Amino acid sequence: MDYKPVGVGKTVRNARRGLPEAGYWKKFQSPVLVKEYGMVTSLEFSPIKPHDLLVTAAMRLQVYNGRTSQLKKAITRFHGQARSGSYRSDGKLIVAGDDTNIVQVFDGASR
């Protein structure tokens, strides 16, 4: 029997690399997962740039940087479960209450 030699086939280029849509999807990053100390009861974004995220969970308020998603500030001056952390409309003050019926106001710019 005579056999014909078979040439090595060419590899197929990935067609997606050349599409302009591929550049659009590469801009996205994977989601950031952060473990909290207790149940999250409130989330709010700062009304001013860089739109930091205020997280109310357990007995603390945590402010995360809007660009890097890193913890920027933690406020732990509560005697009970912290509730309803919120920014003032100009973003300079943070207010929150707790289970002992005390409402506290914090400076949003200080550490």
Side-chain angles (χ1 to χ4, degrees):
M1 295 191 133
D2 293 328
Y3 293 102
K4 283 181 141 182
V6 179
V8 177
K10 293 182 179 180
T11 59
V12 179
R13 283 190 66 203
N14 189 352
R16 287 186 159 185
R17 284 188 184 172
L19 296 177
E21 183 181 359
Y24 172 78
W25 290 109
K26 285 183 180 180
K27 291 179 191 175
F28 290 99
Q29 298 175 354
S30 60
V32 177
L33 299 176
V34 177
K35 291 194 178 220
E36 292 297 332
Y37 295 95
M39 182 177 67
V40 174
T41 57
S42 177
L43 295 172
E44 184 168 334
F45 286 97
S46 172
I48 58 172
K49 287 188 177 182
H51 303 293
D52 295 336
L53 176 64
L54 177 65
V55 178
T56 308
M59 295 175 66
R60 65 180 60 214
L61 295 175
Q62 294 177 321
V63 179
Y64 290 94
N65 189 308
R67 292 187 181 146
T68 63
S69 302
Q70 298 295 319
L71 182 64
K72 188 175 180 181
K73 179 192 317 188
I75 302 170
T76 59
R77 298 182 190 122
F78 295 97
H79 299 289
Q81 173 80 31
R83 304 281 181 190
S84 303
S86 183
Y87 282 102
R88 191 168 71 175
S89 62
D90 63 0
K92 293 184 179 181
L93 293 178
I94 298 172
V95 64
D98 63 15
D99 284 344
T100 60
N101 297 329
I102 296 174
V103 176
Q104 300 181 44
V105 179
F106 304 99
D107 183 11
S110 70
R111 288 202 135 252

